[in-house]
Amino acid sequence: MTPPSFDARWLATRRDVLARATLGLGAAALAELLPGARAAGGDLRPQRPPRAKRIVFLFQSGGPSQVDLFDPKPELNARHGEELPDSVRRGQRLTGMSGNQSSLPLAGSPFRFERHGECGAWMSELVPHTAQVVDRLCFVRSVHTEAINHDPAITFFLTGSEIAGRPSMGAWLGYGLCSANRDLPAFCVLISQEKSGQPLYARLWGAGFLPAEHQGVQLRAGSDPVLYLGDPPGIDRARRGAMLDGLRALAAIQHEREGDGAILSRLAQYELAFRMQTSVPEVTDLSGEPGEVFELYGPDSQRPGTYAANCLLARRLVERDVRFVQLFHQGWDQHAALRPDLAQQCRETDQASAALVVDLERRGLLDDTLVVWGGEFGRTNYSQGKLTPDGFGRDHHPRCFTMWMAGGGVRAGLTYGSTDELGYNVASDPVHVYDLQATILHLLGIDHELLTYKYQGRRFRLTDVHGEVVPGLLA
Amino acid sequence: MRAARSFALLVGAGGALGWSGLAGGQAALAPRARVDFGRDVLPVLADRCFPCHGPDANANPSGLRLDERASATTGREGRAAIVPGDPAASELVRRVRAHPDERMPPPESKLVLDAGEIELLERWIAEGAEYAPHWAFRALARPEPPAVADEAWPRDELDRFVLAELERAGLAPAAEATRAEWLRRASFDLTGLPPTPGEVRAFEAQETADAYAREVQRLLASPRYGEHMAAGWLDLARYADTYGYQNDVYREVWPWRDWVIEAFNRNMPYDEFVTWQLAGDLLADGVGAPGAPGAAREQGLATAFNRLHRQTNEGGSVDEEFRVEYVSDRVHTFGMAFLGLTLECARCHDHKFDPIAQREYYALSGYFASIDESGLYSHFTSATPTPALDLPTPEQEAKLARLDARVRELEAEIAGIETSSAAFVERFLEDPPPFDEMADEMADEQDRFPLDGDALPRLANLRAPGAVDAKAEGPVQRVPGRFGGALELTGDDPLLFPKTGHFARSDPFTLSLWVWLPERYERAVILHRSRAWTDAGSQGYQWLVEEGRWSAALIHFWPGDALCVQTTDELPRERWVHLCATYDGSSRAAGLALHVDGVRARAEVVRDALTRGIQGGDPGGLTLGERFRDRGLRGGRVDELRVFGRELGSLEVAQLFDGRALADALARPAGEPALRDYYFSAVDEAHRGARRRLAKARAERDELHDRVRQIMTMRELPAPRPVHLLQRGRYDARVEEVARGVPAVVHAAVGGPAPRDRLELARWLFQPGQPLTARVAVNRLWQQLFARALVETSENFGRQGTPPSHPALLDHLACEYAASGWDTKALLARIVLSATYRQGSRASERAREADPDGRRLSRYAPRRLSAEMLRDAALFASGLLVERVGGPSVRPYQPPGLWEEKSGLAYVQDTGEGLWRRSLYTIWKRTSPPPAMMLFDAAKRDVCVARRQATSTPLQALVIWNDPQLVEAARVLGERLAREFGGSPRAGLEEAFRALCTRAPAPEELAVLEGLLDAERASFDAEPGAARELVEVGERAPDAELPPVEVAAWTVVVQGILSHDAALVRR
């Protein structure tokens, strides 16, 4: 099947829907949208054609420290050890972890920053590989969120609500856009193995109240990259093929007998399952990649289940037109021992993140693949616990943090938004999580206000009743 | 399901089918029939207009309400939105047809009215714009069964409602299903399991008139019935075996699940069933108290229903934020499960579609807020969040009674000693020994730290001169003290006494400390022995300053299992103050006394409900001035810490303060009655010995009691906790206090005073006239038996819900249900025996056109098995199913690593029978639910869910083919077939087909299966190693007597049948 055409998306009339059966908008979404939101003219068409066909979201779970990676603050360094002024804190609630400290000492970054690339973006010494690709990246320093604890914050980021039960971003996309690859799931989830840190939850890639088929499918390192994918011992393709032949015959008989179309559509799912049993191991098997690719992604990429191997796998998936690949890397929660622990996190992720951008670009995929890097919130500019010469930590911070994006229609080489001189508040061009979600959907050609699903009598959407596309981020 | 099918349709063939649902309500509108407000107009108005012209006053700047006729027909600036009978004069009509600048709905709303809908509104206005109250809010009245043309068809009154509709549409019911088809449906629908081939044969051979009824009675009498009914109830109750947020720790709530099974099995009337769950704690005096006996305990246990929501222990979370969240979850669950209303919409603003004000949301929350709970469960201990109910085994109960009696005996014995030793006392008082001769100055002193700061960071202990463990951590400052030096604290650096103060709640003890407080602390930790505060359940003991006052507490789980007393006066500041707390080991607040400057301070009891241990969570030793994540004693000074393993008397406390009270008393003994207490406490060996025995007896009782199983339940606070309207639903944005109450739109049909408490609220659900409870309940029962509920949106009976397909039938059943005394089994039996349920599933050409999705009940629409049924049926057919009712949740096969990669908790798979129990017993970890069940659309159990989806995806095929659970089941059934039907494979195939599909295979089907069996046999023959591998799958040892090739071939064939529509679908 050819990938669907993205030009013919929002349709004027229902007749068009029926006439063009292979357009990009998922049938489920259309069926839901049309009764309430039928367009009389072209008013539902997006302002511009979609720029991204796929998305790789490199989720850094725990809350990476923006002031130590992307957003240098000389003034913070200069006032190291001074108390966080109330005039800066402005009543921001703190978590119970640092909220009862008798002192909130400002903590400058112990890491060196330098400018890189033609765009001159400031980058910390911890991310030397990312520093080399800054001209392809778009940094947003002014992201802010609502929640201050991990569970609500990550749930908010990926489902648009702090309360569990809503569909995840990938499920929304799967519901809104039909799959472009017949043999692979539209929404794949990759989790770095052997990491510990803040827990992850199946709901972060769940379908919420959307049909369960839109839930993310986790691809895992090891022999069964998708749950239950592998044939049981003793069953090979031929035996399974013979059984499928039998099922085909049984379905035909049953269809004849019952006259129910669902019998044939279930059979079609069986056929797809059978094909996936080949296509998924093929895509997850990295062994055929040339040595220079492993070099590009770094030595970890040879070890299945690492972040680096998952970045490489993500590239293979988007090459095959998987719509949404969501990586999770835990361990960015530096409440203490920030210096060594943050450096370690960066060693695990920096090279492969940059490599993914380079690799996509040289394969001509970066133009229509959006890469997003970031976590659920940022970290405080003050020390959690005591500020000692030996080390310190940073608590959760919702008021500002940095994310970067690449490809897929975002403006490369841009640093968007700014924070105040102590790195505590957004100083210009704030981008709320809802705005970021709206912008991501926009890049995929979806009007975030139109991608709705009626549940409990209400139209729900990823951005709830909020969110504005941020034009400044668009190429 | 429209949405579910669409993916397959788009990629596969035959697209047009998927759009059949698009026209929705309009298609149902007969061309010239009079417009029906509720069915035709309200859905359009509600969906497109109410967001700005509906009940939410804050979102309605114009003030025009289209949900109220009076407002809609009132003139504004000379024009009314609706002029009944005159569309042309109606502003509404003009605006929906206007140029985009003026058009309604406005373009930015992204809502559009299409031409058909506009025409509909015009017709409605032309016909007089009659409003009608929303159907679901109208009081229930029993509709008479309608007349029908075909009098022969109905078997039950309910069939008349269905048939009348069919006849009106010119449709005939489908031909009756075969007995086997019916029994298959009824068995699955009533017990969750298929009938055995033997049961089918027996039923087919039955010729008595009541054959069907007898089958139904058999099914309803089976304990499997309760298990099956419970499985559905668990979705509503958002039941799970873990807390849900973040670390998602295990919690023991399965005793509630077992209660539900049992309640269904004994056919507890639905009103009682619901009342117990909502308010069983209020049914009788003392119910819900930790030691509640018998029936009262069962009623308390039922209320765990309200506590099954998710709970967090994430470090740093704000207690109140999550407590408010829990209360809201109870309200939402109550709304969806019993009223079919989406109350959550009104949490942040007035409901957009239904007439439920935000204030009413909070009024309702008042019933659910009034328990002594915390927003956080314990991070470091496994304490059950309060309120909690004890569930002792009968043996434990008996033993506890004995130990309690022993404690009481010893308490009496001590009182006896105090009387019988009177003479000895007199002698002592006449001639007491001088103070310095008293043994060891003050008896039972365990530790004495002068805190002079002369060897910092070391803190010397006069009672253990060589000891070096006590120390100051971090900078403390040496300052002049009450006696010599003292220490000034930073608030972030503790003084640690690792070997000191390891007291259990049965240990009497006394702590004495001098403090100098620089300010009126909002909150500050003076001392404690515990791991952490707020986010950690704070198990241990502690002294705090709270708003300037001194409090002392012993805590198992704050706030519901603790004792705490607090001084009524604030502590003096900027001078040395002596604090001394004495405790008698009784676990009662009366046993904890606070003394300031040597005098018993006036104090109030904050909590007096300590029932469990205070030493969990690895609390370390006594600590001064700081606690993990709590506020320390910043700038405070401390001096002279003394620890006694005894409850000191008043003279001794005074002595600690002034250094002479006891000595003075001993010098002039005759007038000192306090010396008597001193004598018994410090000197008299008989008394001291009895007290030691008492402490031991208490410890023994406590130790047993701590092992008694507990479960979270409801227990009403003595004084209701006030609730507030929260702006935008934010926990910290209180607007004003709101009294308890129920939504007026529902209450209007009930009448009378509003319920005062949760019990009255539960009873309010079952008041005559209550419009929702019975409709919602029978609708769900219908949903259990048919592909679609009468109100398809079984979670939403509001204006945005789907109107009932058969409103009179719904009301009829609702009235009958209530009139029967809420007899659930009787209602299920009626429906299952009806002609409607007995219809076959094949659609005639005519029916396919006029009733494409079976909504009109012109046939029995096919349904895929639920996640539980699918797995349980395979286990059942194979003979692997272990049928034992209840008990702790089990851990069957699951792909390795799923729990570990999310929250680091190991999934330890069961061995033996835990692998083969019914699916409702599979452990439910919310952040990593059983993956195979999730793929078959099981509810996630995060929040209340009234309806499951039914999708069809490739991953489902992978589960059937490759999940060891199902491979093993296929293999074990394959073994039986190979064993019993080795010589006659046809008979074996028939048997397998009957076991899984409940019917005989057609000859063509048999031919396909025979071909498959032969092919697999040949294939395994060529590769016997593969056969051996396959028959080893699963824990059940393969039958060594059987040739692996045979078993393997049968296994694949069984897998094929399991994947067959005939096995997966009820038709």
Side-chain angles (χ1 to χ4, degrees), chain A residues 197-415:
Chain A
Q198 288 302 323
L200 297 170
Y201 332 106
R203 65 172 173 276
L204 300 176
W205 54 94
F209 43 69
L210 292 176
E213 65 197 274
H214 299 301
Q215 64 186 292
V217 173
Q218 196 186 339
L219 300 188
R220 307 159 78 229
S223 58
D224 237 1
V226 164
L227 293 181
Y228 310 113
L229 186 76
D231 292 316
I235 297 286
D236 59 13
R237 297 277 70 200
R239 293 191 183 98
R240 196 52 95 215
M243 191 186 86
L244 191 58
D245 289 342
L247 282 172
R248 226 173 262 130
L250 290 176
I253 298 165
Q254 182 81 344
H255 183 247
E256 180 73 17
R257 177 190 166 101
E258 304 289 345
D260 180 355
I263 295 164
L264 296 182
S265 71
R266 178 164 294 108
L267 181 70
Q269 302 297 336
Y270 288 1
E271 308 267 10
L272 173 51
F274 185 75
R275 287 197 303 277
M276 274 176 62
Q277 288 187 282
T278 309
S279 60
V280 172
E282 182 193 287
V283 70
T284 55
D285 177 9
L286 307 183
S287 63
E289 291 284 338
E292 58 96 13
V293 169
F294 289 119
E295 262 170 49
L296 179 68
Y297 283 84
D300 277 358
S301 62
Q302 308 243 29
R303 284 197 298 126
T306 59
Y307 179 79
N310 283 347
C311 282
L312 175 51
L313 177 53
R315 188 219 77 207
R316 292 171 64 88
L317 291 167
V318 297
E319 261 180 332
R320 287 159 179 78
D321 265 333
V322 169
R323 290 273 188 217
F324 191 22
V325 184
Q326 173 113 44
L327 272 71
F328 287 96
H329 190 73
Q330 294 162 292
W332 292 95
D333 194 24
Q334 273 73 46
H335 286 286
L338 174 127
R339 200 170 177 151
D341 290 0
L342 188 60
Q344 176 61 26
Q345 286 295 114
C346 291
R347 275 194 295 277
E348 290 165 2
T349 54
D350 172 48
Q351 182 173 358
S353 302
L356 176 64
V357 173
V358 171
D359 205 8
L360 289 173
E361 184 179 44
R362 66 186 189 173
R363 286 163 199 265
L365 286 165
L366 191 59
D367 275 349
D368 54 9
T369 304
L370 178 66
V371 182
V372 183
W373 187 104
E376 67 269 36
F377 42 51
R379 303 210 81 82
T380 54
N381 62 352
Y382 66 80
S383 169
Q384 175 179 343
K386 302 194 139 218
L387 184 58
T388 68
D390 300 338
F392 67 94
R394 299 188 189 276
D395 201 355
H396 310 162
H397 188 59
R399 283 227 190 137
C400 63
F401 56 109
T402 303
M403 301 193 61
W404 60 254
M405 300 195 278
V410 295
R411 208 191 293 178
L414 174 72
T415 293

Side-chain angles (χ1 to χ4, degrees), chain B residues 909-933:
Chain B
Q909 192 170 296
D910 279 340
T911 54
E913 84 170 39
L915 298 169
W916 305 303
R917 299 279 303 283
R918 288 193 72 172
S919 301
L920 93 151
Y921 301 120
T922 296
I923 188 162
W924 202 275
K925 182 171 166 62
R926 279 186 163 126
T927 56
S928 188
M933 287 177 68

